[in-house]
Amino acid sequence: MNIRHLTFRLLQVYVDVIQTGSISESAKRLHLTQPTVSLQLKRLREAVGDPLYTLEHNQVVATDAGLELYRICQQTLSNFNDFNQYLGSIQAGQRGHFSIAMVSTAQYILPRLLGPFSQRFPAVDIKLEIGNREQVLRRFEQGQDDLYVFSHPPSLEHACAGRFLLNPLTLVAPASHPLAQQQNIPFADLMKQRFLLREQGSATRMLFESWLQTHGLTLASSVQMASNEAIRVGVSSGMGLAVLSSHVLPAHDQSIVALDVADFPIESHWYFIARNDRHLSPAALGFLRFAQQHLEECLGKQWARNDLQRLLSALS
Amino acid sequence: MNIRHLTFRLLQVYVDVIQTGSISESAKRLHLTQPTVSLQLKRLREAVGDPLYTLEHNQVVATDAGLELYRICQQTLSNFNDFNQYLGSIQAGQRGHFSIAMVSTAQYILPRLLGPFSQRFPAVDIKLEIGNREQVLRRFEQGQDDLYVFSHPPSLEHACAGRFLLNPLTLVAPASHPLAQQQNIPFADLMKQRFLLREQGSATRMLFESWLQTHGLTLASSVQMASNEAIRVGVSSGMGLAVLSSHVLPAHDQSIVALDVADFPIESHWYFIARNDRHLSPAALGFLRFAQQHLEECLGKQWARNDLQRLLSALS
DNA sequence: TCCAACCATTGATAATTATCTATGGATTGT
DNA sequence: ACAATCCATAGATAATTATCAATGGTTGGA
């Protein structure tokens, strides 16, 4: 049998002929003329090299080989049919996979979107990549992921951003801090204290420093720490003060408080970013749509800042 | 996805590309140029309608859809490969089916060939059709079976016959018959007795009557019975005499004996018949070959009359 | 930064396939 | 025995497919 001469069209016609048992009948059903079907069968017969059917009382009856071929054809056609469905569900974003790279701070908030999304679309695999800002930026440049989450979005080429969440940066202190109860504290009162800061390049640190600059201030003393956790523990144990995203502070942690400092909190936002120079997987697109629709219920009305519609239009 | 634009060639190329991860490499392996393979992939992509792969570090990596397609392609190709094997075994006569129509007398001898054949080729299905001579002749005329077994072969158009077995017709009587011990009995001494005969058209009857005619004799009294069993029981219970194939007489039956009549037994033979105007299935051909080779060991050297080689050459 | 390797596209050609109409031969049913 | 039905084949044409050589754009590594 020479498989290279087989066509899917051939299989379709053959299956139909075996099912109807009549060449003329199949021709009608397939909107072809009878000779066309005859010829298809002839070609199939020649490709296979063995007789596939006999005519008995003008009925097309498959031989052993023909019957086996019929089975295989059916299975094959149905496989490709299933594949078609599969493609459909990929297109609809109900299946597939995508990856999100995010700076570590985002890991406190993104699960509240990803959880409900996963429940709704269990066949979508999601890969989470977490790193500091520098690492995530590199991933973006190399286009290693479908989506990126930043606060203070990079103004890079090919970046397409959509704001989705308020990210207030508050000034936190240990609960025992002398100014803990005071209101509208001038920042000057805190300048002598030690501040715990994330590494250079961290969005929180950038925003804080930019705030300081705007107000013409400089810190007296600072310590650099690699993670928000370390900073949080540091603050609650009295090492110093810090500026942290409100989302990082667990509601039930009594050992740490936000100070009511003038011109605080610093306002910033979280953004979804995608590259506009490459095709976004339907699954990722589906996730953005989901986020756009369920933002408030997942993240809370007071935090949501939904600019995702613009991002979605830009990507479609 | 438009399945009608798919070719098996396309699938083969695609599978190879996914396996090697390189278009150029596949081109080499398939003895094609690189643009040819690129073009095939392009066509496949267009037929499917979704991206199937991405280039990562110059490596072809399947997308979700591409991977699923790859699996289906592999399965399909391997199915057709198996089918090829299957065709081979049909060709070799190791698989398939055929039918034999035989006159009822033949059922005493054919199983001794069919048994060993089935053991040797368990994947071959055999259908046995048993009837009287008239019925089997009709089946032959309508070409309903692959092989036919007759004694006294019909001289019909399109019939191709091969003798394979001696079929002596003996004159039998009850063990208590007065002439049971006598030798070389003249037939005239038996003419007055009642004879049990098969129906008109039965080969045994035809041969017996032809024998009578040759010797210018006529029976005084006869009774027609529908089966060899009925005749045998009839003879052993003293209803009369009969002419029966030796193969019909069980060796251990003491109640019935062959008389030593002059010019008896009448010599006749069994024949395999096939139509030479239609294709004989490989399985049937395989059976004839088997019979030709194992005739003596299955049916006994003293009975075998092997002219099957001629039949086989006439059919191939 | 430049070269080599890789993939994509273009333009061209030969082969194959899909399909029709018209016709002939075989089978079936009346 | 004849008409109807069915399948096969021939001849013709348009569409599609298979394949190549040449060339251009990307990417990764030296």
Side-chain angles (χ1 to χ4, degrees):
Chain A
M1 183 184 65
N2 192 346
I3 200 174
R4 291 181 47 170
H5 292 154
L6 294 183
T7 316
F8 279 80
R9 182 58 169 161
L10 232 51
L11 308 193
Q12 289 181 321
V13 171
Y14 178 65
V15 163
D16 197 86
V17 169
I18 295 300
Q19 278 172 353
T20 61
S22 155
I23 292 181
S24 307
E25 177 62 21
S26 276
K28 277 180 210 146
R29 291 167 46 131
L30 300 169
H31 305 292
L32 296 170
T33 60
Q34 169 264 313
T36 299
V37 177
S38 275
L39 214 61
Q40 297 272 28
L41 291 179
K42 186 180 181 183
R43 290 208 309 108
L44 180 59
R45 220 181 310 136
E46 281 164 0
V48 170
D50 278 85
L52 296 174
Y53 60 90
T54 57
L55 289 174
E56 285 169 21
H57 304 287
N58 268 343
Q59 278 269 113
V60 177
V61 177
T63 61
D64 289 331
L67 198 60
E68 186 65 15
L69 180 59
Y70 171 70
R71 285 204 202 90
I72 292 179
C73 289
Q74 273 199 316
Q75 205 205 327
T76 299
L77 292 175
S78 110
N79 276 349
F80 276 87
N81 244 21
D82 293 350
F83 177 62
N84 233 339
Q85 305 258 119
Y86 181 87
L87 282 183
S89 71
I90 284 183
Q91 279 301 358
Q94 294 169 351
R95 183 185 289 277
H97 74 222
F98 67 97
S99 66
I100 306 184
M102 59 182 81
V103 292
S104 52
T105 318
Q107 69 186 299
Y108 293 97
I109 48 160
L110 219 60
R112 285 159 58 193
L113 271 173
L114 290 171
F117 176 78
S118 276
Q119 287 227 324
R120 173 68 187 76
F121 299 104
V124 175
D125 289 331
I126 307 168
K127 206 166 66 182
L128 286 185
E129 299 286 345
I130 297 174
N132 61 31
R133 187 177 170 89
E134 188 194 354
Q135 290 167 325
V136 175
L137 270 172
R138 187 161 56 243
R139 293 189 72 89
F140 175 86
E141 268 155 27
Q142 299 185 353
Q144 292 186 58
D145 305 279
D146 295 279
L147 295 175
Y148 307 85
V149 178
F150 287 102
S151 86
H152 201 63
S155 60
L156 293 166
E157 253 196 323
H158 307 306
C160 210
R163 186 175 68 167
F164 70 99
L165 194 71
L166 190 61
N167 186 36
L169 304 181
T170 56
L171 209 160
V172 295
S176 58
H177 195 275
L179 298 179
Q181 303 306 323
Q182 195 171 329
Q183 297 191 342
N184 205 27
I185 311 165
F187 188 81
D189 295 1
L190 301 168
M191 275 183 59
K192 296 277 167 54
Q193 310 220 2
R194 175 157 54 194
F195 275 80
L196 312 184
L197 299 179
R198 289 290 301 277
E199 70 279 5
Q200 275 291 359
S202 143
T204 308
R205 174 161 177 177
M206 280 166 62
L207 285 166
F208 183 32
E209 287 178 339
S210 142
W211 184 92
L212 288 171
Q213 202 169 8
T214 307
H215 293 72
L217 303 168
T218 319
L219 294 184
S221 153
S222 70
V223 177
Q224 183 169 316
M225 306 189 88
S227 76
N228 293 319
E229 274 69 36
I231 290 177
R232 209 166 63 192
V233 173
V235 169
S236 72
S237 58
M239 280 182 69
L241 308 181
V243 171
L244 282 180
S245 160
S246 304
H247 300 294
V248 173
L249 302 174
H252 54 274
D253 187 342
Q254 307 287 338
S255 66
I256 193 167
V257 296
L259 298 187
D260 180 8
V261 179
D263 295 327
F264 265 81
I266 303 174
E267 187 174 87
S268 82
H269 294 91
W270 287 109
Y271 294 79
F272 280 116
I273 315 277
R275 298 190 61 108
N276 58 16
D277 62 340
R278 62 182 68 194
H279 180 74
L280 198 59
S281 84
L285 215 54
F287 171 68
L288 284 183
R289 265 195 288 270
F290 179 90
Q292 200 260 323
Q293 282 163 22
H294 300 94
L295 197 57
E296 297 197 348
E297 76 194 62
C298 291
L299 295 173
K301 203 165 185 172
Q302 70 274 33
W303 305 112
R305 293 294 182 275
N306 195 337
D307 279 355
L308 293 176
Q309 191 53 60
R310 246 193 42 243
L311 175 61
L312 278 166
S313 342
L315 292 171
S316 301
Chain B
M1 183 185 64
N2 192 345
I3 200 175
R4 290 180 50 170
H5 292 154
L6 294 184
T7 315
F8 278 80
R9 183 55 170 163
L10 231 50
L11 309 194
Q12 290 181 321
V13 171
Y14 178 64
V15 164
D16 198 85
V17 168
I18 295 300
Q19 279 172 352
T20 61
S22 154
I23 293 182
S24 306
E25 177 60 22
S26 276
K28 276 181 210 147
R29 290 168 46 132
L30 300 170
H31 306 291
L32 296 171
T33 61
Q34 168 264 314
T36 299
V37 177
S38 276
L39 215 60
Q40 297 271 27
L41 292 180
K42 186 181 181 183
R43 291 208 311 107
L44 181 60
R45 221 180 311 137
E46 280 165 0
V48 170
D50 279 83
L52 296 173
Y53 60 89
T54 56
L55 290 174
E56 286 170 20
H57 305 288
N58 268 344
Q59 278 266 112
V60 177
V61 177
T63 61
D64 289 331
L67 198 61
E68 186 65 15
L69 180 61
Y70 172 70
R71 286 204 201 93
I72 293 180
C73 289
Q74 274 200 314
Q75 204 205 326
T76 298
L77 292 175
S78 111
N79 276 349
F80 276 87
N81 242 23
D82 292 350
F83 177 62
N84 234 339
Q85 305 258 118
Y86 181 88
L87 282 182
S89 71
I90 284 184
Q91 280 300 359
Q94 292 169 352
R95 181 187 290 277
H97 74 221
F98 67 97
S99 66
I100 306 183
M102 59 182 80
V103 293
S104 52
T105 320
Q107 68 188 300
Y108 294 97
I109 46 160
L110 219 60
R112 285 157 61 193
L113 271 172
L114 290 172
F117 175 79
S118 277
Q119 288 228 323
R120 173 67 186 76
F121 299 103
V124 176
D125 290 330
I126 308 169
K127 205 166 65 182
L128 286 185
E129 298 287 345
I130 296 176
N132 62 31
R133 186 177 171 88
E134 189 193 353
Q135 292 167 326
V136 175
L137 270 172
R138 188 162 52 243
R139 293 189 72 88
F140 175 86
E141 268 155 26
Q142 298 186 354
Q144 292 188 59
D145 306 279
D146 295 279
L147 295 176
Y148 307 86
V149 179
F150 288 102
S151 86
H152 199 63
S155 60
L156 294 166
E157 253 195 324
H158 306 306
C160 208
R163 187 175 68 166
F164 70 99
L165 193 71
L166 190 60
N167 185 37
L169 304 181
T170 59
L171 209 161
V172 294
S176 58
H177 195 275
L179 299 178
Q181 303 308 324
Q182 196 170 328
Q183 294 190 340
N184 205 25
I185 312 165
F187 187 82
D189 295 0
L190 302 168
M191 274 183 59
K192 295 278 167 51
Q193 312 219 358
R194 177 156 53 193
F195 274 81
L196 312 185
L197 299 179
R198 289 290 300 278
E199 70 281 2
Q200 274 291 0
S202 142
T204 308
R205 175 159 175 177
M206 280 166 60
L207 285 167
F208 182 32
E209 287 178 340
S210 143
W211 183 93
L212 288 170
Q213 201 168 10
T214 308
H215 292 73
L217 303 169
T218 320
L219 295 183
S221 152
S222 69
V223 177
Q224 182 169 316
M225 308 189 88
S227 76
N228 294 320
E229 273 70 35
I231 290 178
R232 208 167 64 191
V233 173
V235 169
S236 70
S237 59
M239 279 182 69
L241 309 182
V243 172
L244 283 181
S245 161
S246 304
H247 299 294
V248 173
L249 303 174
H252 56 272
D253 187 344
Q254 305 288 341
S255 65
I256 194 167
V257 294
L259 299 185
D260 181 7
V261 180
D263 294 329
F264 266 82
I266 303 173
E267 187 175 86
S268 82
H269 294 91
W270 287 108
Y271 294 78
F272 280 118
I273 315 278
R275 298 190 63 109
N276 58 16
D277 63 340
R278 62 181 70 193
H279 180 75
L280 199 58
S281 84
L285 214 56
F287 172 68
L288 284 182
R289 267 195 288 270
F290 180 89
Q292 199 261 323
Q293 282 163 24
H294 300 93
L295 198 58
E296 296 197 347
E297 77 194 61
C298 291
L299 294 172
K301 202 164 185 171
Q302 69 275 33
W303 305 111
R305 294 293 183 277
N306 195 338
D307 279 357
L308 293 176
Q309 190 54 58
R310 243 193 43 243
L311 176 60
L312 278 167
S313 342
L315 292 172
S316 303

